[in-house]
Amino acid sequence: MSDYRALGGVPFMPKPARPAPANTTGVVGWMRQNLFSSPSNALLTLVGAYIAYVTIMAILNWAVFNAVFEAESRRECLDLVGRAGACWPGVVAWSRQIMYGLYPADQIWRINMGFLTLILWVVPLWLPRVQSKVAIGLTAVLVYPFLASYWFLGGQAGFVWSVLIAASIACFVWVWATALLESFTGATFGRFVLTLLGVQHRSEQDQRRVLRAVAAAMLLVAYVAVSFWTLPFVPTTRWGGFFLTLVISGIGIAFSLPSGILLALGRRCDMPVIRIACVLFIELFRSVPLITILFMFNTMLPLFLPVGVEVNQLLRAIVAVCLFAAAYMAEVIRGGLQAIPRGQYEAASAMGLGFWQTTVLIIMPQALKIMIPTIVGNFIGLFKDTTLVSIIGLFDVLNMARAVGEDTRWLGLFIEPFFAVTVLYFICCFAMSQYSINLERKLDTGPGGRR
Amino acid sequence: MSEITELEEAAREAVASTRSTTRIIEISKLNKWFGQFHVLKDIDLTVYQGERIVVCGPSGSGKSTLIRCINHLEEHQEGDVIVDGTPLNNNVKNIDAIRSEVGMVFQQFNLFPHLTVLENCTLAPIYVKKMPKAEAEALAMSLLERVRIPEQAKKYPLQLSGGQQQRVAIARALCMKPKIMLFDEPTSALDPEMIKEVLDAMVELAKEGMTMLVVTHEMGFARRVADRVIFMDQGEIVEQAPPEVFFGAPKFDRTKLFLSQILAH
Ligand SMILES: Nc1ncnc2c1ncn2[C@@H]1O[C@H](COP(=O)(O)OP(=O)(O)OP(=O)(O)O)[C@@H](O)[C@H]1O
Ligand SMILES: [Mg+2]
């Protein structure tokens, strides 16, 4: 690459790089440059700081400094500080219901176990050396719910449900075995099992057969374990609080992404029947407010079902939320698809990739990546929208918070529980939003991106 | 400079003398319309194995459309296209068979920005040819070495210069071990400094005897490498000749006009 030297001429000597001037680096430099760069900017900074100070102090005064933390009733709080400070004992007394609804107190550990299972299920996704992240993520969405359903619902599991629960447990074992093996040895679970059984040199067909047998054996063991496992039944009418909110929005979020992808693909499909069906579904659900859909499913669905067929009220709400979320997600995904240049499809076709290969390997990863902010925005929206189920009589976290003020002991105590719920929502939504920003940065493969 | 040309000349003759008489692409009476617009009119073209063909012509003359008909990125309405004995029709199997033998390099590179350079190259071998991953990676690395960018294998396409990206695109196409390579203006989106590195990679490919159809305005390349230059205008092949004849004594005035315009700057 240095053949220009052979051409002769005056040699070009690049200047050495110098460090940046001191006052543009460091905290002081940053503040000088961004907050106090001119008199008007400095004024704005000071006014802004003052407003922030006043607001934060007002909130702290109410919520902490003047607040009552120990009292038997609202009356007592009012006698102590009047309305100048918050009355937290009411919220504390109701905190179990706000978090778990009317779930039997001695069974609440099951809810915690259910969510702990989920956390453990997804932890391997953050372990750096784990390779099978896609498979683990997929099982978390597709298989975990069966195990969770038994944690939360309990009772007598029929054959099919038992098998599903067993599959879920077997999968969980697989997830952790994979995570550990890949972290410490770098071998996949399959390879490890084959080596353990000493069949790693057999033909590929034999190996596949062995792996299938191992999977079946794991399933069988799990099934036997499940048949010895009984938890008391807790009807969904007793589910409530933040737990219910998480269940509804969790299912809605998990359902909306895959079904939104399928609907978006369907809308671009060449087959008119599929396309029209998808367009109708999307437009119908997008043109109606969620609350209307909830009412429809709650009150009208039973009218269409045969007499005697009872669909659980929670299930009706979940279905309504899922369909609504799917329609919205479909449009988000379609937006992402539209942003993919035609050249990507052409390059994939020219290489001989088929439609599904192109979609899964080339188009969707890019479309989803572009749309991360919007997708997560939708998730956050959905998470907040689930508060609407309180209107059809489900006791989600918001409804539970309202119930505090209707308790005779804490009559009229509304602001505090709502404040607590606000903080709860803020933490969740802010975490989601931060995670999405993080993800975007991690997935950035642009010119200034990673590496 | 002159010594390079001589080497190339020798290589070209060596290949020319061994060139088989196998017809690898046969196009006859090809007609294509975009709506009411008649883009390709009665195209007849036979390409022999190992032949290097440069296609040129004014903008909108149908050059891209012609070579995109060969791997069915565009569907033609009339006429026959036979690639390596396989007729191109609506039979999906035939289309897949042809596409796995025909590599294509685009003006805009069309690399997959979410995959590393290496993954771009191994994708099709793994998913289309069902090649084991390790083998595909070894193949990809050897081809990246051939286009002189093995050190970029772990980077993402948008972190490379245009010339590097286009060389990755060439390596990616070669990973399918194609019999034919189609190039649609591979250097038109590049800065002058990078054109040479891409052309070098193409010249090397030509020396190895690859059958190539290249749409380009790089007349220097045509002169040095092509066995045949085809001039198109308004959806027709106006003239085709070996480069010496084509540039030395073109038959049609339309060709002369085009050459005078393109060689003027
Ligand atoms: N998808 C399409 N739909 C309608 N018309 C098209 C389409 N693609 C190309 N055309 C038209 O067909 C004609 C030939 O296009 P083509 O891209 O083959 O030209 P070209 O010779 O490659 O030109 P250029 O040098 O500008 O790339 C042009 O007039 C173009 O406008
Ligand atoms: Mg073109």
Side-chain angles (χ1 to χ4, degrees):
Chain A
M1 279 295 114
S2 61
D3 35 350
Y4 63 88
R5 277 177 207 207
L7 302 177
V10 182
F12 164 67
M13 295 300 282
K15 286 181 185 148
R18 284 190 297 130
N23 61 355
T24 62
T25 53
V27 179
V28 178
W30 182 87
M31 283 189 18
R32 192 174 298 165
Q33 213 173 37
N34 292 286
L35 301 179
F36 300 98
S37 61
S38 66
S40 56
N41 194 352
L43 187 69
L44 262 179
T45 303
L46 291 176
V47 171
Y50 177 72
I51 293 175
Y53 172 79
V54 169
T55 317
I56 291 171
M57 279 320 286
I59 292 176
L60 281 180
N61 275 335
W62 176 79
V64 184
F65 303 133
N66 297 337
V68 180
F69 291 94
E70 255 166 272
E72 286 304 310
S73 68
R74 177 137 192 266
R75 202 52 276 147
E76 214 181 308
C77 284
L78 289 176
D79 290 344
L80 277 170
V81 293
R83 292 178 189 279
C87 177
W88 293 121
V91 178
V92 173
W94 275 77
S95 60
R96 182 165 62 83
Q97 284 89 335
I98 290 177
M99 295 307 285
Y100 302 104
L102 304 177
Y103 212 84
D106 60 340
Q107 299 295 317
I108 279 174
W109 64 275
R110 283 163 49 182
I111 297 180
N112 298 336
M113 282 305 290
F115 284 106
L116 184 67
T117 315
L118 178 61
I119 292 169
L120 286 178
W121 205 300
V122 295
V123 160
L125 296 179
W126 279 272
L127 300 180
R129 281 167 54 95
V130 174
Q131 298 293 315
S132 321
K133 285 186 180 162
V134 176
I136 293 174
L138 280 178
T139 58
V141 174
L142 299 176
V143 187
Y144 160 75
F146 300 117
L147 185 52
S149 69
Y150 195 69
W151 276 124
F152 299 155
L153 212 50
Q156 278 297 323
F159 175 70
V160 177
W161 193 16
S162 294
V163 170
L164 290 173
I165 299 166
S168 195
I169 293 175
C171 237
F172 183 65
V173 172
W174 171 81
V175 165
W176 269 95
T178 302
L180 293 175
L181 280 170
E182 288 180 356
S183 290
F184 292 112
T185 67
T188 63
F189 182 67
R191 195 96 328 266
F192 174 76
V193 168
L194 292 172
T195 318
L196 202 67
L197 298 174
V199 291
Q200 73 271 39
H201 300 304
R202 299 281 191 79
S203 73
E204 218 164 274
Q205 210 176 357
D206 277 0
Q207 294 190 359
R208 220 170 291 139
R209 239 177 256 153
V210 169
L211 286 182
R212 242 178 261 146
V214 169
M218 280 170 66
L219 187 62
L220 194 70
V221 172
Y223 181 78
V224 173
V226 167
S227 61
F228 285 108
W229 187 35
T230 36
L231 293 169
F233 177 61
V234 180
T236 55
T237 44
R238 309 203 57 165
W239 296 19
F242 192 55
F243 160 58
L244 188 75
T245 299
L246 284 182
V247 167
I248 298 175
S249 52
I251 295 177
I253 285 171
F255 179 85
S256 69
L257 196 57
S259 52
I261 290 175
L262 290 180
L263 281 170
L265 290 174
R267 194 169 185 165
R268 293 160 59 100
C269 181
D270 289 333
M271 278 175 276
V273 181
I274 297 181
R275 189 176 58 238
I276 291 168
C278 290
V279 170
L280 280 179
F281 177 89
I282 293 170
E283 294 306 331
L284 179 71
F285 276 87
R286 259 169 30 111
S287 333
V288 182
L290 175 58
I291 187 67
T292 317
I293 298 172
L294 281 169
F295 270 126
M296 292 264 280
F297 273 71
N298 198 38
T299 53
M300 289 177 61
L301 195 64
L303 303 181
F304 293 115
L305 290 172
V307 189
V309 176
E310 184 80 40
V311 179
N312 176 306
Q313 193 191 15
L314 175 60
L315 190 62
R316 281 180 299 205
I318 288 177
V319 170
V321 168
C322 280
L323 298 181
F324 180 79
Y328 266 86
M329 192 54 75
E331 287 301 282
V332 173
I333 307 283
R334 194 166 69 96
L337 290 176
Q338 231 117 34
I340 307 296
R342 221 170 62 134
Q344 295 287 306
Y345 293 92
E346 289 178 351
S349 300
M351 290 159 72
L353 294 172
F355 171 79
W356 286 108
Q357 284 178 330
T358 306
T359 304
V360 172
L361 299 168
I362 310 293
I363 305 304
M364 272 308 157
Q366 295 185 58
L368 293 178
K369 201 176 89 181
I370 303 170
M371 283 308 184
I372 286 174
T374 326
I375 290 173
V376 176
N378 255 29
F379 286 170
I380 292 174
L382 179 65
F383 183 63
K384 294 186 292 187
D385 280 351
T386 52
T387 47
L388 287 175
V389 300
S390 60
I391 295 179
I392 59 166
L394 290 173
F395 275 86
D396 78 319
V397 65
L398 200 67
N399 226 359
M400 271 301 165
R402 181 165 35 223
V404 179
E406 282 156 14
D407 180 359
T408 43
R409 260 215 296 170
W410 307 101
L411 204 64
L413 189 77
F414 289 114
I415 297 176
E416 287 83 350
F418 281 141
F419 185 82
V421 170
T422 305
V423 172
L424 198 59
Y425 264 100
F426 177 79
I427 291 172
C428 293
C429 295
F430 188 68
M432 275 196 259
S433 138
Q434 283 304 304
Y435 180 65
S436 104
I437 291 171
N438 233 318
L439 199 62
E440 259 178 88
R441 216 173 281 150
K442 214 170 88 186
L443 295 180
D444 183 12
T445 57
R450 61 179 156 162
R451 255 169 280 199
Chain B
M1 193 66 199
S2 68
E3 126 191 42
I4 297 175
T5 337
E6 263 166 43
L7 267 177
E8 268 159 20
E9 200 58 41
R12 200 168 102 188
E13 266 154 34
V15 172
S17 62
T18 59
R19 186 165 62 247
S20 67
T21 49
T22 320
R23 295 155 174 245
I24 197 154
I25 302 175
E26 292 179 82
I27 297 173
S28 53
K29 288 272 166 289
L30 177 70
N31 277 284
K32 171 162 181 65
W33 288 264
F34 281 123
Q36 283 305 309
F37 178 58
H38 200 166
V39 223
L40 295 178
K41 302 170 186 159
D42 291 330
I43 302 281
D44 288 308
L45 177 65
T46 304
V47 181
Y48 295 93
Q49 191 158 11
E51 203 176 11
R52 282 80 47 118
I53 294 184
V54 164
V55 182
C56 60
S59 181
S61 54
K63 309 178 297 286
S64 300
T65 312
L66 172 62
I67 68 165
R68 289 156 61 90
C69 279
I70 293 170
N71 63 355
H72 204 260
L73 282 185
E74 300 288 358
E75 201 171 336
H76 61 272
Q77 282 93 8
E78 278 176 20
D80 296 316
V81 177
I82 302 174
V83 180
D84 199 22
T86 314
L88 196 56
N89 45 32
N90 282 328
N91 186 339
V92 180
K93 255 195 197 142
N94 287 3
I95 296 174
D96 286 346
I98 289 175
R99 280 180 178 167
S100 69
E101 298 204 338
V102 180
M104 188 159 192
V105 175
F106 302 84
Q107 181 177 355
Q108 300 297 341
F109 327 137
N110 294 351
L111 295 174
F112 305 130
H114 63 301
L115 300 177
T116 62
V117 164
L118 189 65
E119 288 165 341
N120 263 279
C121 293
T122 55
L123 189 81
I126 290 175
Y127 288 97
V128 179
K129 291 213 160 151
K130 311 289 174 211
M131 194 185 277
K133 192 173 170 209
E135 192 184 323
E137 280 178 355
L139 172 69
M141 281 316 293
S142 75
L143 287 166
L144 286 173
E145 243 151 67
R146 225 165 85 183
V147 295
R148 309 226 162 75
I149 34 173
E151 72 283 357
Q152 313 286 2
K154 291 270 177 270
K155 284 201 189 160
Y156 288 90
L158 296 182
Q159 296 162 356
L160 305 183
S161 74
Q164 290 172 324
Q165 289 189 50
Q166 193 61 297
R167 285 185 285 156
V168 172
I170 293 173
R172 177 176 76 174
L174 292 177
C175 275
M176 286 294 281
K177 299 189 179 155
K179 290 189 175 162
I180 303 162
M181 285 285 285
L182 308 175
F183 293 83
D184 192 356
E185 306 204 25
T187 56
S188 299
L190 297 177
D191 292 340
E193 278 195 4
M194 300 167 185
I195 291 179
K196 184 176 175 298
E197 61 191 55
V198 171
L199 289 181
D200 283 348
M202 290 168 62
V203 168
E204 215 157 292
L205 196 59
K207 279 189 213 156
E208 286 160 22
M210 173 68 73
T211 311
M212 293 165 68
L213 258 91
V214 185
V215 176
T216 185
H217 296 298
E218 293 293 328
M219 290 302 130
F221 175 81
R223 263 196 207 139
R224 278 155 58 193
V225 178
D227 298 305
R228 197 169 6 143
V229 182
I230 290 179
F231 174 66
M232 287 183 73
D233 190 22
Q234 307 200 15
E236 285 180 73
I237 294 184
V238 178
E239 183 157 1
Q240 46 180 317
E244 313 78 64
V245 182
F246 184 83
F247 292 109
K251 205 158 51 177
F252 289 87
D253 52 352
R254 182 68 191 86
T255 319
K256 283 180 187 158
L257 177 66
F258 175 74
L259 284 176
S260 72
Q261 281 165 346
I262 200 156
L263 297 175
H265 60 258

